[in-house]
Amino acid sequence: MSKRVLVPTVIGVVALGAVAAGGYAMASSTTELAVENGSAHYAAPTAQRAGKLAYSAEVSDDSGVRSLKVIAWPKSSKLEPTAAELRYAGDAACSRTSDETSRCAYTLTVSKREAADLAAGTWYVSVLATAQDGDTEFVSRAATFEVTR
């Protein structure tokens, strides 16, 4: 083969490889399932109203968000919920904010009687996010809040 044919062919193969690699990198730059900007707040019940625990977060995945399961637990309990256990936890209400992201909010009403039984101190919120494509993301300590007497 002559050098005139070989050099352009090699340059063409290298250029084609670079374009293909770039296209593959763009196609595979998918958004991983993520739970971000999570926050929790506890308000004790009063004579006028029930108390509540509220948790909210942004959940995103390139396939969309199917659900967010939420559970709160006291630090003093030494519990460490697992992803498997969270499959049976409470559901957050998720509202789509874009094709990939949803804002999820979970609210639990707390009566005076229930509040009396809550351990005072630090509490954690664990979450299990599930994407439309079935991927899951477990966050054992997605947020922290305080229960005071």
Side-chain angles (χ1 to χ4, degrees):
M1 193 181 284
S2 76
K3 288 185 181 178
R4 280 191 204 173
V5 174
L6 186 59
V7 171
T9 302
V10 170
I11 291 172
V13 168
V14 170
L16 182 60
V19 168
Y24 176 75
M26 287 178 60
S28 66
S29 64
T30 58
T31 304
E32 294 291 321
L33 181 58
V35 179
E36 300 175 314
N37 303 321
S39 65
H41 175 73
Y42 171 75
T46 66
Q48 294 80 24
R49 63 170 171 74
K52 76 174 185 177
L53 163 64
Y55 173 79
S56 64
E58 292 176 4
V59 183
S60 57
D61 185 75
D62 58 346
S63 71
V65 177
R66 181 184 304 164
S67 68
L68 182 70
K69 300 283 191 171
V70 180
I71 191 167
W73 50 281
K75 177 181 177 181
S76 62
S77 72
K78 307 291 187 212
L79 292 173
E80 288 288 336
T82 65
E85 292 168 332
L86 256 77
R87 294 183 193 283
Y88 306 102
D91 285 308
C94 296
S95 300
R96 186 176 236 174
T97 58
S98 73
D99 288 344
E100 296 181 352
T101 304
S102 292
R103 183 77 180 157
C104 298
Y106 174 80
T107 304
L108 178 66
T109 303
V110 181
S111 70
K112 282 187 177 186
R113 184 175 184 172
E114 292 167 329
D117 292 337
L118 295 178
T122 302
W123 282 60
Y124 299 117
V125 174
S126 297
V127 298
L128 177 66
T130 304
Q132 289 292 351
D133 63 7
D135 288 347
T136 59
E137 177 69 20
F138 172 66
V139 183
S140 64
R141 294 187 181 163
T144 304
F145 65 95
E146 296 293 321
V147 172
T148 57
R149 300 262 182 246

